[in-house]
Amino acid sequence: MKSFYITTPIYYVNDIPHIGHAYTTIACDVMARYKRMKGFDTHFLTGTDEHGQKIQQAAEAKGMTPQELVDKIHVNFRELWKVLNISNDDFIRTTEDRHVRVVQAMFKKLIDQGDIYKGSYEGWYCVPCETYVPESSMGENRTCPDCGRPLTTMKEESYFFRASKYAPQLIEHYEKNLQGVMPRIRYNEIMSFLRGDVRDQSVSRTTLKWGIPIPSDEKHVVYVWFDALINYATAVGYLDDPEMFKRYWPNVRHMVGKDIIRFHCVIWPLMLLALGINVPVSVIAHGWWTVDGEKMSKSKGNVVDPFKMAELYGADAFRYFLLREVPFGNDGDFSELAMVGRVNSDLANDLGNLLNRTLQMIMNYSGGVVPAAKEKDALSEEVRKLSESTVTQLDGVMDTFSYDEALKLIWVFIARANKYIDETSPWKLDKEGQKDKLATVLLTLYEALRLSALLVAPFIPDSAIKIWKQLGLQGSPLTSLIDDFRWGDGAGSHVAKAEVLFPRIDVEEWKKARAASAPKESVAPATEHEPEIDIEGFKSVEMRVAQVIKVEEIPRSKNLYKLDVDLGYEKRVICSGIKRFFKPEELEGRRIVMVTNLKPAKLCGIESNGMILAASVHEEGNEKVSLIVPASDIPLGSRVK
Ligand SMILES: [Zn+2]
């Protein structure tokens, strides 16, 4: 049996799962399900990337060990995959022992054969964030993109992977294997990069603490990308199960977002060549999602929550929309309204109606039993032939990961079956007593639905099961083989009562509900006015721009944070009652406005030297707080007037 091994990237465990994670994973899931139904020995892997400085910092801020933190939060991904009906065979975490051992073994092998050597790494570094910042993501005037502070150059001892040595071999491979990187636009991008200057890659850090140690040199840990990429080999038994590795590795395919193709199409294959292992058959890169035409961002509040989408519309509707809407590889725009449109037209109307009408006719004209056909006619033959060509063509488009084309093909077939009802008017045949003709029509429609259930199963598995049951079939479409389908085998089946597969969503009602649940701009009632002051009174309050450097919890206090702030000309400590409204990481690095001439006060035993400004309002019993921040970059210490 031919094997098929597909992987998602391992997701950075500290991320909140969003539409991008869901998209990649659903795309892999559909492919894995399709290949299983085509008889492939399939293995489907996903997981989480759990090392790195940011995890360590997040853990410190929460008073946990990094391991405790990742143990807790990796579950976010596991739960999402359950909700979205993802059929992964394995879930790997880079902190697992099976992975740590493989990374260390590969590192050692590469040192031993001279493909990893010691040198020194120099780069732009943010000391407070303890992280290197590549030129491409620096802020203005070489500042840290996370905290805005100036970067310094840093030099440390580092191990290097001799990537340059294997680049010519990889170019040769890709020249012969055009499907090595998909789609073509990414292939060209990778080839021009490879033909340029491929440099040896730094693969260890002494500044990083939360990572896999290098056994022969304990002050180094393996750099996160080197560690992360290896997961794909770990999971199929590179070290522990050579049989499994031999079974799956020759047919490995990675699905990734277009932002991480260099790691997957250059660095990783070069590592594999050095290790003497075959490079991936394909790396498939998909595009990015915008939301209602805008870039997704936390501050805009337009991040699409896949949990919520599945809850509101069902996992199948969400899965269908993501893959149908955009040619795979292109960027796409997510719009809930567009999704509602697709649910109504494609799922409720086309597929749902075909099922409903067919079952009802079999009930009414044939006592719920699918008749055998005694005669063939041109129209029913046309439907049957289209079913065959659909199955064949589907294979072609799935091979190129063209999910939208696949769904279009299936829906052309579904539309043809719907049209066949209108062309043959079974209700007339029943009235006229044309029993043989009617039998042909009912069987043709039933078979069209039976095949449709198989074809849509990889995309909308829950709905496929529902169709299967209503058709009165045994087993499950998910474990059936598409190629075992024989037209006519369904005769004699007893159908169940028709149930609505996808309820139509009333768009006007939907819009009203949407408007009602949208956050309102509420105006705080100005009930408590302070007495009037003159300009001198106002001027006596000295306010300046400052930056929050560090946020610490005050153990005895529910409300207070101890903040270290920088005014540029001096540093201060402030106690601020905003703990309930912000996480430390939401404050650290931010520029704020503070009152600098407030008399010092002792709060919970700590002297507070100033006050930071925030707006607050009570809404339905809840207090909402927003920091007052300068709208553009202005030096620390600037006076606020
Ligand atoms: Zn920084």
Side-chain angles (χ1 to χ4, degrees):
M1 209 199 302
K2 208 174 171 216
S3 74
F4 185 86
Y5 176 30
I6 190 159
T7 72
T8 73
I10 44 173
Y11 301 116
Y12 181 55
V13 70
N14 209 25
D15 283 349
I16 307 288
H18 57 66
I19 186 175
H21 303 114
Y23 182 52
T24 322
T25 310
I26 289 169
C28 285
D29 182 61
V30 170
M31 193 51 75
R33 288 178 182 277
Y34 180 73
K35 290 291 177 182
R36 287 187 201 115
M37 292 178 71
K38 288 299 267 188
F40 283 79
D41 170 17
T42 303
H43 195 73
F44 168 22
L45 173 73
T46 187
T48 40
D49 178 7
E50 305 193 341
H51 288 122
Q53 205 63 45
K54 287 198 175 146
I55 293 292
Q56 192 185 332
Q57 285 161 350
E60 274 164 13
K62 291 187 167 73
M64 300 164 106
T65 66
Q67 190 65 53
E68 283 168 348
L69 178 67
V70 298
D71 284 348
K72 188 170 161 224
I73 59 179
H74 85 279
V75 175
N76 293 340
F77 286 95
R78 279 195 201 268
E79 276 171 2
L80 181 59
W81 305 149
K82 244 187 256 161
V83 166
L84 293 180
N85 221 336
I86 301 300
S87 64
N88 54 301
D89 298 291
D90 193 359
F91 186 107
I92 191 168
R93 304 175 53 197
T94 53
T95 51
E96 285 174 79
D97 174 63
R98 61 169 167 164
H99 180 64
V100 172
R101 285 186 289 110
V102 173
V103 171
Q104 291 179 332
M106 284 188 174
F107 206 97
K108 180 170 184 307
K109 181 169 159 53
L110 293 173
I111 287 184
D112 290 350
Q113 70 189 41
D115 283 330
I116 283 181
Y117 61 90
K118 205 183 249 186
S120 65
Y121 179 82
E122 192 171 358
W124 292 94
Y125 191 77
C126 178
V127 179
C129 294
E130 297 179 51
T131 185
Y132 283 97
V133 179
E135 299 264 359
S136 55
S137 52
M138 275 178 195
E140 267 174 58
N141 305 321
R142 298 202 188 285
T143 49
C144 171
D146 285 334
C147 73
R149 278 167 290 197
L151 300 171
T152 50
T153 53
M154 167 98 158
K155 199 170 175 179
E156 64 175 302
E157 188 183 272
S158 171
Y159 285 94
F160 281 80
F161 165 55
R162 230 179 266 286
S164 55
K165 178 174 154 192
Y166 295 93
Q169 205 180 324
L170 186 59
I171 291 173
E172 210 187 306
H173 169 82
Y174 282 146
E175 277 170 348
K176 287 188 214 133
N177 296 278
L178 300 180
Q179 86 295 350
V181 182
M182 293 161 74
R184 184 54 54 90
I185 181 173
R186 303 295 158 223
Y187 175 89
N188 293 339
E189 196 181 315
I190 289 301
M191 286 308 267
S192 76
F193 178 77
L194 269 171
R195 289 188 177 118
D197 176 23
V198 177
R199 288 185 210 171
D200 290 355
Q201 297 289 314
S202 162
V203 292
S204 79
R205 290 285 184 271
T206 53
T207 44
L208 180 72
K209 304 283 178 310
W210 179 236
I212 298 176
I214 294 163
S216 57
D217 198 347
E218 290 270 346
K219 70 175 191 285
H220 287 262
V221 301
V222 176
Y223 188 44
V224 274
W225 266 104
F226 190 89
D227 156 2
L229 287 165
I230 290 171
N231 89 86
Y232 306 125
T234 302
V236 287
Y238 172 77
L239 210 56
D240 295 340
D241 191 346
E243 275 307 307
M244 186 188 191
F245 194 74
K246 238 179 27 206
R247 183 168 147 203
Y248 290 117
W249 192 259
N251 289 307
V252 60
R253 287 158 176 85
H254 303 308
M255 174 128 7
V256 299
K258 64 181 182 184
D259 51 326
I260 52 174
I261 56 170
R262 273 203 199 162
F263 286 106
H264 285 84
C265 307
V266 178
I267 309 299
W268 177 228
L270 292 173
M271 285 163 64
L272 291 167
L273 288 173
L275 290 160
I277 313 171
N278 68 278
V279 309
V281 177
S282 285
V283 176
I284 308 102
H286 64 70
W288 285 342
W289 286 92
T290 51
V291 176
D292 295 320
E294 285 191 78
K295 213 179 146 196
M296 225 180 348
S297 80
K298 255 192 224 165
S299 58
K300 278 192 200 127
N302 66 347
V303 177
V304 177
D305 176 0
F307 283 105
K308 201 173 141 206
M309 291 302 115
E311 191 192 315
L312 286 175
Y313 306 100
D316 277 359
F318 188 55
R319 291 169 64 108
Y320 178 81
F321 178 79
L322 291 185
L323 295 184
R324 173 62 182 81
E325 194 66 5
V326 187
F328 204 69
N330 293 11
D331 291 342
D333 186 48
F334 183 85
S335 139
E336 242 178 286
L337 187 58
M339 184 160 75
V340 168
R342 285 251 177 244
V343 169
N344 283 343
S345 69
D346 301 7
L347 300 177
N349 251 1
D350 298 346
L351 181 58
N353 276 349
L354 178 63
L355 177 67
N356 232 278
R357 293 164 84 190
T358 302
L359 291 180
Q360 230 137 45
M361 291 191 291
I362 294 173
M363 280 291 181
N364 294 346
Y365 309 143
S366 187
V369 181
V370 182
K374 296 203 182 71
E375 56 184 55
K376 283 181 185 170
D377 56 47
L379 280 176
S380 61
E381 274 303 284
E382 197 188 310
V383 174
R384 188 186 59 77
K385 282 199 177 122
L386 183 63
S387 81
E388 284 169 6
S389 64
T390 302
V391 171
T392 315
Q393 287 181 45
L394 187 62
D395 222 22
V397 294
M398 287 301 274
D399 271 348
T400 56
F401 292 78
S402 308
Y403 298 94
D404 63 317
E405 292 296 330
L407 287 169
K408 278 181 209 160
L409 276 174
I410 299 170
W411 256 256
V412 163
F413 177 63
I414 290 169
R416 183 67 194 86
N418 269 317
K419 190 172 155 221
Y420 175 76
I421 300 180
D422 303 332
E423 288 167 341
T424 53
S425 313
W427 45 94
K428 266 196 208 154
L429 299 176
D430 178 60
K431 240 185 221 163
E432 295 163 2
Q434 303 207 46
K435 286 237 174 310
D436 288 351
K437 275 194 178 159
L438 182 59
T440 302
V441 172
L442 295 182
L443 179 70
T444 300
L445 288 170
Y446 184 84
E447 293 300 81
L449 270 167
R450 191 163 68 95
L451 180 64
S452 297
L454 291 175
L455 299 182
V456 300
F459 296 90
I460 47 174
D462 274 346
S463 308
I465 292 172
K466 282 188 198 155
I467 298 171
W468 205 249
K469 282 200 177 134
Q470 294 190 39
L471 292 176
L473 295 165
Q474 300 296 309
S476 161
L478 309 184
T479 51
S480 304
L481 293 172
I482 292 172
D483 296 331
D484 282 355
F485 180 87
R486 295 284 171 273
W487 194 270
D489 280 1
S493 304
H494 291 253
V495 302
K497 199 171 156 276
E499 272 170 48
V500 175
L501 202 57
F502 290 95
R504 272 192 75 83
I505 301 168
D506 183 321
V507 176
E508 288 314 309
E509 287 298 315
W510 181 88
K511 280 183 181 161
K512 268 189 229 158
R514 243 19 245 304
S517 69
K520 281 183 218 68
E521 282 288 318
S522 67
V523 180
T527 44
E528 299 160 68
H529 289 290
E530 306 290 345
E532 262 179 17
I533 55 167
D534 57 21
I535 188 74
E536 290 312 311
F538 175 71
K539 274 187 184 164
S540 69
V541 183
E542 188 188 317
M543 292 179 285
R544 290 184 188 274
V545 173
Q547 183 168 38
V548 180
I549 303 298
K550 199 165 130 195
V551 179
E552 283 171 274
E553 308 218 0
I554 300 173
R556 280 180 295 142
S557 172
K558 266 210 313 260
N559 299 322
L560 289 177
Y561 271 140
K562 175 176 172 241
L563 307 176
D564 289 354
V565 300
D566 187 358
L567 278 156
Y569 55 90
E570 67 171 84
K571 297 206 168 59
R572 299 235 190 137
V573 171
I574 294 180
C575 294
S576 181
I578 52 175
K579 186 166 165 184
R580 284 181 295 130
F581 309 104
F582 301 97
K583 295 192 185 109
E585 59 267 31
E586 292 174 302
L587 296 169
E588 276 173 350
R590 290 209 76 163
R591 282 170 189 241
I592 45 99
V593 174
M594 67 175 278
V595 179
T596 50
N597 63 339
L598 204 63
K599 267 192 194 140
K602 239 188 186 170
L603 300 167
C604 279
I606 297 163
E607 189 178 88
S608 179
N609 282 286
M611 187 173 77
I612 79 172
L613 298 192
S616 105
V617 68
H618 285 271
E619 265 180 347
E620 291 155 4
N622 289 320
E623 193 178 0
K624 258 179 107 174
V625 170
S626 174
L627 286 180
I628 307 301
V629 299
S632 61
D633 251 354
I634 188 155
L636 298 184
S638 301
R639 181 92 195 251
V640 178
K641 291 185 261 196

